[in-house]
Amino acid sequence: MWSLVVADDEPKIRRGIEGILDWHEFNINIVGEAEDGEIALEIIKEKKPNIILLDINMPFLNGLNLLQKLKDINNKSIVIIISGYDDFSYAQKALQFNVFDYILKPVNKKSMEEIITKAVNKLNEIEKENNYLDLVNKQISENSYALKKTLFCEWLNNKLSDEQVLKEMGFFNIKFGNNIGIMVVKLVDKLNIEIINKRWNTELLEFAIINILKDKFKQSEVNFVFKDDKKNIILVNKIDSTLKWITIGNELEVEIYKYLKCNVIIEQANVSDGILRIKEVYSKIVNSVKEKKNCNSIALSTIKYIEENYYLNNLNINDISNKLEVTSSYLSKLLKKETGLSFIDYLTDVRISKSMCIMEDPTVKIYDVAELIGYSNQHYFCRAFKKVVGISPTEYKRGK
């Protein structure tokens, strides 16, 4: 039922209002009455009525002052002013407080019936709107993750503009912070011929990989995993630790092989200069994945080995050729043919790329970066970095 409070300093008026209508016919229950504004305020705070019948001229706290206080406490009641003819100017002033309507004394049954009918119709409209909004909010809440995934997928595939994605992120209250990671995981058929033919199909493997990623990042405050239009598996993730992020790609490759016995290409990057840069970085690493995918299977295995072991100070082509059971000279020529780079140049590029990611964290020292990417000392690292990037690591960090 709807609830009603009557506030009027005249007992006769209050009794008259109580008896003028059969309130139950309007689905209304009178939950309180007050003889002055101060009492009315306390009752309204306690009962939170749907409708207030309010005398404009009461002692201690008149109707206008009470309306101001109701506005201050954000009261949502429908207010109907009861006004004597002499108080009509006050009633007009009350309109600035968005009162619903007013009724002149002496109150008659017909006028009261008309106004209360309007008030109940309005309450029914409000309830219907609120129920609809509750339903929409419930659906959004239940499907929130799917909607957010769709948002990022459509943006990265050029179906949403930057302005639209920022607006939608605001709607969903998505906040990545200052350090965002993006990862592309690609299942490569040529490295998984046996498993795809005998145990799995590609769709099932991709589904399983997505679940491994979700589990791996389930503690992350903000993360989304989805497939783009090119069947790349994409992760967009809030980074809490840059150093942890650098190593997590290798960890994932190990876990994916452990549980699914399949090989994947993983490319990852981190962005510290705004969410909109993610789209540019996404395009870059997707192209990198595509280039690797087109490589000969032996060359691709070599690339993967380098990217999994770049941090080893003594990493050399003989280690890889022995593992792949080919000669080092053949492997060297094949890598050069497929990538345009020698083994040393490719290894250097991977190490420098990793170092640039690590230096997104301003707290990491240059000598620590050198050690983390496989250089025996800072001097060798700085020389290699300047040769590839054109500036020293210190200058690069200073420009971040």
Side-chain angles (χ1 to χ4, degrees):
M1 294 186 77
W2 305 118
S3 56
L4 170 72
V5 165
V6 181
D8 194 296
D9 63 331
E10 297 181 49
K12 182 180 177 181
I13 296 291
R14 296 199 302 273
R15 287 196 299 272
I17 288 172
E18 287 180 17
I20 199 169
L21 297 177
D22 182 351
W23 293 101
H24 288 278
E25 282 187 9
F26 294 88
N27 199 32
I28 291 174
N29 183 32
I30 298 176
V31 296
E33 57 178 75
E35 61 193 44
D36 64 56
E38 290 182 349
I39 294 173
L41 181 61
E42 293 307 311
I43 292 174
I44 291 165
K45 284 180 179 178
E46 178 188 353
K47 303 291 186 178
K48 296 181 175 57
N50 303 110
I51 305 172
I52 303 169
L53 288 171
L54 176 63
D55 184 10
I56 198 69
N57 195 2
M58 290 186 295
F60 303 115
L61 187 67
N62 69 29
L64 291 177
N65 291 333
L66 177 57
L67 287 170
Q68 180 61 58
K69 290 188 178 294
L70 293 179
K71 182 179 179 182
D72 293 342
I73 63 173
N74 198 30
N75 179 267
K76 301 295 185 182
S77 304
I78 284 181
V79 179
I80 300 168
I81 295 295
I82 304 171
S83 169
Y85 183 79
D86 293 339
D87 300 322
F88 187 64
S89 60
Y90 286 104
Q92 288 180 309
K93 289 180 182 178
L95 295 177
Q96 65 183 297
F97 294 101
N98 295 319
V99 297
F100 181 75
D101 211 331
Y102 66 91
I103 187 168
L104 287 172
K105 296 179 181 178
V107 179
N108 63 67
K109 182 177 181 178
K110 183 180 178 183
S111 297
M112 180 65 77
E113 194 171 67
E114 288 176 355
I115 288 176
I116 293 301
T117 299
K118 282 171 57 180
V120 169
N121 288 339
K122 182 65 176 177
L123 288 170
N124 287 328
E125 284 179 23
I126 293 170
E127 184 179 52
K128 187 175 180 180
E129 288 174 7
N130 288 339
N131 288 341
Y132 175 74
L133 288 173
D134 287 344
L135 178 62
V136 169
N137 288 330
K138 183 181 179 183
Q139 290 176 335
I140 288 173
S141 178
E142 289 175 350
N143 300 288
S144 177
Y145 189 80
L147 291 169
K148 291 171 186 176
K149 279 197 310 180
T150 301
L151 163 68
F152 278 97
C153 189
E154 291 192 345
W155 177 49
L156 294 179
N157 287 296
N158 296 310
K159 295 175 183 176
L160 282 180
S161 67
D162 291 350
E163 293 75 16
Q164 287 173 311
V165 81
L166 288 175
K167 182 179 178 181
E168 294 296 324
M169 284 178 64
F171 175 77
F172 285 113
N173 197 30
I174 301 171
K175 295 178 182 177
F176 279 101
N178 296 323
N179 207 359
I180 310 162
I182 180 165
M183 179 182 291
V184 176
V185 182
K186 186 70 173 179
L187 182 67
V188 185
D189 290 353
K190 70 178 69 173
L191 295 179
N192 300 289
I193 294 172
E194 186 173 340
I195 186 174
I196 289 174
N197 287 342
K198 291 184 178 180
R199 296 179 57 193
W200 300 79
N201 64 42
T202 301
E203 289 292 325
L204 280 174
L205 274 175
E206 288 171 344
F207 177 76
I209 291 167
I210 287 172
N211 283 331
I212 288 174
L213 262 69
K214 285 181 178 179
D215 186 65
K216 186 75 172 176
F217 291 92
K218 65 184 178 183
Q219 300 300 327
S220 179
E221 187 178 342
V222 185
N223 74 83
F224 304 103
V225 184
F226 54 91
K227 280 203 299 186
D228 68 8
D229 288 354
K230 305 172 189 71
K231 293 192 174 181
N232 297 301
I233 297 167
I234 312 297
L235 166 78
V236 183
N237 180 66
K238 179 179 180 180
I239 297 177
D240 297 316
S241 166
T242 302
L243 294 180
K244 177 66 176 172
W245 173 250
I246 296 301
T247 62
I248 207 160
N250 286 350
E251 291 176 14
L252 272 168
E253 286 201 48
V254 170
E255 289 183 26
I256 289 169
Y257 190 81
K258 176 182 176 182
Y259 294 113
L260 305 177
K261 298 297 183 287
C262 71
N263 293 286
V264 294
I265 298 173
I266 293 183
E267 280 280 336
Q268 63 188 109
N270 49 318
V271 172
S272 59
D273 50 355
I275 184 67
L276 294 183
R277 269 263 293 148
I278 283 290
K279 189 172 181 180
E280 175 189 338
V281 174
Y282 159 79
S283 297
K284 182 179 177 181
I285 61 178
V286 163
N287 286 334
S288 178
V289 166
K290 184 179 179 181
E291 289 174 5
K292 290 177 183 177
K293 182 174 175 286
N294 291 333
C295 285
N296 171 284
S297 59
I298 294 177
L300 182 52
S301 295
T302 304
I303 288 167
K304 282 173 57 60
Y305 191 91
I306 292 170
E307 293 182 347
E308 290 167 10
N309 298 280
Y310 66 89
Y311 57 87
L312 297 175
N313 177 251
N314 59 351
L315 182 62
N316 62 75
I317 197 167
N318 292 325
D319 296 333
I320 307 173
S321 62
N322 290 335
K323 181 177 176 62
L324 298 178
E325 298 180 341
V326 296
T327 65
S328 58
S329 60
Y330 170 77
L331 193 56
S332 179
K333 290 175 184 176
L334 183 61
L335 188 64
K336 178 79 171 179
K337 177 187 174 184
E338 295 287 336
T339 69
L341 296 172
S342 68
F343 170 78
I344 292 298
D345 286 342
Y346 195 92
L347 174 59
T348 300
D349 273 7
V350 170
R351 285 173 168 172
I352 299 308
S353 176
K354 295 292 183 182
S355 75
M356 293 167 77
C357 290
I358 294 170
M359 285 189 287
E360 293 286 343
D361 184 343
T363 65
V364 182
K365 305 298 182 186
I366 298 296
Y367 57 81
D368 288 328
V369 177
E371 185 177 337
L372 286 166
I373 62 171
Y375 285 97
S376 57
N377 63 56
Q378 183 177 334
H379 173 71
Y380 290 147
F381 165 57
C382 291
R383 190 169 65 182
F385 190 95
K386 189 166 186 177
K387 182 180 178 182
V388 173
V389 182
I391 57 175
S392 71
T394 303
E395 290 172 311
Y396 179 82
K397 282 194 74 175
R398 196 182 296 130
K400 296 305 289 176

